[in-house]
Amino acid sequence: MLTLTCPCCGVAAEETELAPGGQAHLRRFGPGSSDDDFTAYLFDRANPRGVHLERWRHAYGCGKWFLAARSTVTLEVFGTYPAQTREPPADVVARIRQRHPEWEGSR
Amino acid sequence: MKRYSVFAVARQAFAHHQGWEKAWASPEPRARYDVVIVGAGGHGLATAYYLGRNHGITSVAVIEKGWLGGGNTGRNTTIIRSNYLQDPSAAIYEKARSLYETLSQELNYNVMFSPRGVMMLAQTEHEARGYRRTVHANLLQGVETEWIGPQRVKELCPIMNIDGPRYPVLGALWQPRGGTARHDAVAWGYARACSDMGMDIIQQCEVTGIRTEGGRVTGVSTTRGEIACGRLGLVVAGHSSVLAAMAGFRLPIESAALQALVSEPIKPCMDVVVMANTVHGYMSQSDKGEMVIGGGTDGFNNYTQRGSWHHIEETVRALIETFPMLSRLKMLRQWGGIVDMTGDRSPIISRSPVEGIFLNCGWGTGGFKAIPGSGWAMAELMARGHSPLAAPFGLERFREGRFIDESVAAGVAH
Ligand SMILES: Cc1cc2nc3c(=O)[nH]c(=O)nc-3n(C[C@H](O)[C@H](O)[C@H](O)COP(=O)(O)OP(=O)(O)OC[C@H]3O[C@@H](n4cnc5c(N)ncnc54)[C@H](O)[C@@H]3O)c2cc1C
Ligand SMILES: [Zn+2]
């Protein structure tokens, strides 16, 4: 079972305690943006076979959102971090790069 | 190709079954084809088949990284039905269902289509209202379905407990000509027919790159060399985003694991397919006697073809209330496939942002039933540039807000 440590309350939560929320770090395009940007923001997803930065909610715990870096191929978790960031923190990136030197980051 | 028949079986019996020819050839890839299809699942093979049969295009290669039918096509629970809510869905799923009726004769390959009837249980008032609405919609669409009461449900499926404490059975949406087919045989039958038309089915060959020139596709790079093509069809289900990334665009798709399991074989006890969407479980009995059980998708992005255990637990727990006899059964095997989920739970059969690349994906948890219809429409789109069946399923529907919302009608994975 997938276990993620919630950075908000520090609990190592099992998958049944968590609700997945899809791709993280989406940049919001709202009114005034081009149709292309708005469509891409709403619908298009990276859905990589490899490193995925994603949102989770500690639904049956503290209830808060947080982010995680995880491999969709091995289910290895590279780290979890607070949702109030635009990019994964340096230590998480370092752990990802250790395993995937070719990783290009969260475009 | 030698035809299969009762006489062929008799002749082979006298020859100790040494004379059967290979069902399809395994050629080396050529340098160029008019059409390359990536993915030898049901949808890719059916696309190739109808390209040849309906449009006379036979310079076709179907490229598969594993073995043909080894993706979701060989992992699904084989439910075939067409009782969807929206008109475009009813059209393509009913086209597929009706092609299934005669597919064995058409392909000269027994796909074991068994129209035993599919029953979708209503276990809440809300569901009962929803299914009554579907029956009306189906009536207008020319899809034969019927609303049946709990007593009729019990007659059709005596092992069911219709007055469970939490989720009593209030009735069901019944499609008498829905059913199941043998999943491998569908892939094998199409493969044999494609090979017979001179198409190349190239297994153990992974596409690793897509080549374009001036915004137009020119070929693919594979683990067995470069292959040039005029048109390219991407029909890779859970790997669609990976192939799209190779061609430089993103899709409104996320990949997740969907699991199924089978019990030990038992004597025939259930001759219909039952789906219970409220509790997220469905079941049929295979010809071998196993109870074939499926549930909902796991929630997170996943390419492992392994799901989480607790989803299996939930599915079985839910089904036991409605089928108490299940509690005595041992489960034999459990597996997963990577399904390609769109937001409106409808597929994408479409041109792509790259000229010459066509997409057939997003079938998610329910594309086995659609294989013949999807191949038919995709072939027409690739050959003629337009297909009435495929048109509503274009990629642009997301941008235009023209969703084909089956997330309610489909309810659960199947
Ligand atoms: C557990 C489970 C139960 C299901 N139950 C039902 C059901 O009851 N009824 C129903 O209608 N549907 C069901 N489905 C859905 C159904 O299985 C799929 O929608 C359908 O089989 C998809 O077929 P396909 O040909 O598009 O994909 P696949 O059969 O997955 O074929 C895609 C192929 O592409 C290949 N490929 C991927 N990447 C590459 C590459 N880079 N190069 C070359 N080849 C590549 C893969 O190896 C694969 O063989 C179920 C699915 C699962 C997983
Ligand atoms: Zn928490």
Side-chain angles (χ1 to χ4, degrees):
Chain A
M1 187 175 287
L2 191 64
T3 308
L4 298 175
T5 302
C6 172
C8 306
C9 66
V11 167
E14 293 192 341
E15 199 185 323
T16 46
E17 240 178 90
L18 300 163
Q23 187 178 333
H25 304 299
L26 290 177
R27 179 146 162 246
R28 184 171 190 279
F29 286 89
S33 59
S34 75
D35 282 0
D36 279 344
D37 286 340
F38 190 54
T39 306
Y41 156 67
L42 276 182
F43 302 111
D44 293 349
R45 294 294 176 263
N47 191 24
R49 188 176 186 280
V51 180
H52 192 229
L53 306 179
E54 57 195 15
R55 305 165 74 227
W56 286 87
R57 198 166 79 86
H58 194 184
Y60 297 105
C62 70
K64 298 219 172 77
W65 285 98
F66 63 93
L67 307 184
R70 184 180 61 89
S71 166
T72 60
V73 180
T74 60
L75 302 190
E76 179 177 2
V77 178
F78 304 109
T80 55
Y81 52 100
Q84 293 74 14
T85 56
R86 285 185 155 241
E87 277 168 20
D91 61 318
V92 173
V93 173
R95 271 198 297 279
I96 297 172
R97 285 263 153 73
Q98 214 178 345
R99 291 290 210 161
H100 300 274
E102 77 296 344
W103 186 61
E104 287 169 7
S106 55
R107 281 144 297 148
Chain B
M1 179 178 79
K2 292 198 187 116
R3 284 184 64 79
Y4 294 150
S5 68
V6 61
F7 304 108
V9 173
R11 268 197 306 276
Q12 286 300 330
F14 286 113
H16 303 285
H17 293 286
Q18 300 298 304
W20 293 112
E21 59 184 13
K22 286 228 160 80
W24 51 81
S26 299
E28 284 301 311
R30 277 187 264 151
R32 188 184 186 286
Y33 298 88
D34 288 349
V35 175
V36 164
I37 304 288
V38 188
H43 290 262
L45 291 163
T47 300
Y49 174 75
Y50 293 109
L51 274 172
R53 177 197 187 269
N54 293 351
H55 307 283
I57 299 172
T58 55
S59 168
V60 177
V62 186
I63 300 180
E64 167 58 49
K65 72 171 176 178
W67 64 95
L68 71 88
N72 292 347
T73 298
R75 294 164 187 271
N76 81 91
T77 46
T78 74
I79 298 177
I80 296 171
R81 61 184 183 91
S82 58
N83 51 0
Y84 284 71
L85 182 62
Q86 310 292 347
D87 291 349
S89 322
I92 196 163
Y93 288 108
E94 177 59 15
K95 172 77 181 172
R97 199 206 57 77
S98 62
L99 286 169
Y100 264 122
E101 295 253 6
T102 52
L103 195 61
S104 296
Q105 291 83 344
E106 156 124 19
L107 297 177
N108 181 232
Y109 202 98
N110 189 359
V111 302
M112 297 164 79
F113 176 59
S114 161
R116 60 186 66 180
V118 172
M119 182 189 287
M120 294 169 77
L121 299 184
Q123 293 181 292
T124 63
E125 281 298 338
H126 173 81
E127 232 180 346
R129 270 200 301 275
Y131 286 152
R132 282 211 184 85
R133 177 183 176 209
T134 306
V135 168
H136 292 310
N138 290 164
L139 198 65
L140 294 171
Q141 291 153 347
V143 175
E144 185 196 1
T145 59
E146 194 187 331
W147 168 259
I148 56 175
Q151 286 315 319
R152 180 84 180 115
V153 169
K154 181 82 184 168
E155 272 164 42
L156 286 163
C157 185
I159 62 170
M160 201 188 299
N161 173 21
I162 57 168
D163 39 37
R166 263 203 316 169
Y167 295 113
V169 173
L170 306 176
L173 170 61
W174 171 239
Q175 183 170 25
R177 295 301 290 177
T180 61
R182 171 80 199 271
H183 48 14
D184 297 317
V186 172
W188 296 338
Y190 276 122
R192 176 166 170 265
C194 288
S195 186
D196 186 51
M197 286 189 276
M199 299 178 180
D200 287 356
I201 296 158
I202 302 162
Q203 303 183 66
Q204 305 288 332
C205 177
E206 180 170 354
V207 171
T208 53
I210 294 175
R211 286 180 292 138
T212 58
E213 241 175 68
R216 226 205 116 77
V217 70
T218 56
V220 290
S221 310
T222 77
T223 47
R224 290 169 68 176
E226 303 288 318
I227 303 173
C229 65
R231 274 160 285 177
L232 179 65
L234 305 181
V235 198
V236 291
H239 286 74
S240 296
S241 303
V242 179
L243 273 286
M246 290 179 198
F249 56 90
R250 280 187 183 180
L251 290 173
I253 280 186
E254 296 196 79
S255 300
L258 174 65
Q259 305 179 76
L261 65 160
V262 294
S263 75
E264 59 189 329
I266 53 174
K267 290 202 169 157
C269 64
M270 179 175 152
D271 61 359
V272 294
V273 179
V274 177
M275 309 177 54
N277 290 353
T278 293
V279 297
H280 267 229
Y282 58 88
M283 189 164 79
S284 65
Q285 188 169 23
S286 77
D287 295 335
K288 283 185 283 183
E290 303 152 330
M291 304 310 286
V292 182
I293 298 173
T297 29
D298 294 17
F300 55 84
N301 296 54
N302 190 350
Y303 282 85
T304 63
Q305 293 198 136
R306 268 199 320 260
S308 301
W309 179 249
H310 65 95
H311 285 280
I312 292 282
E313 228 178 347
E314 275 160 26
T315 302
V316 173
R317 192 168 56 213
L319 281 177
I320 280 177
E321 177 182 315
T322 310
F323 299 93
M325 56 87 84
L326 276 187
S327 67
R328 306 292 174 85
L329 280 183
K330 292 191 186 72
M331 293 300 148
L332 269 194
R333 285 179 291 125
Q334 160 259 355
W335 65 92
I338 300 305
V339 292
D340 38 342
M341 307 296 288
T342 57
D344 60 1
R345 300 294 183 261
S346 284
I348 295 167
I349 312 173
S350 181
R351 292 167 180 283
S352 79
V354 178
E355 187 64 30
I357 299 186
F358 296 82
L359 304 165
N360 182 334
C361 56
W363 292 99
T365 61
F368 175 72
K369 62 178 71 65
I371 286 172
S374 153
W376 184 287
M378 177 76 169
E380 193 173 25
L381 176 65
M382 291 188 78
R384 301 226 176 114
H386 179 77
S387 160
L389 277 179
F393 297 99
L395 199 51
E396 68 287 350
R397 76 171 185 270
F398 294 95
R399 169 202 206 78
E400 294 167 3
R402 214 171 19 76
F403 311 117
I404 304 171
D405 186 0
E406 293 291 358
S407 54
V408 183
V412 76
H414 34 78

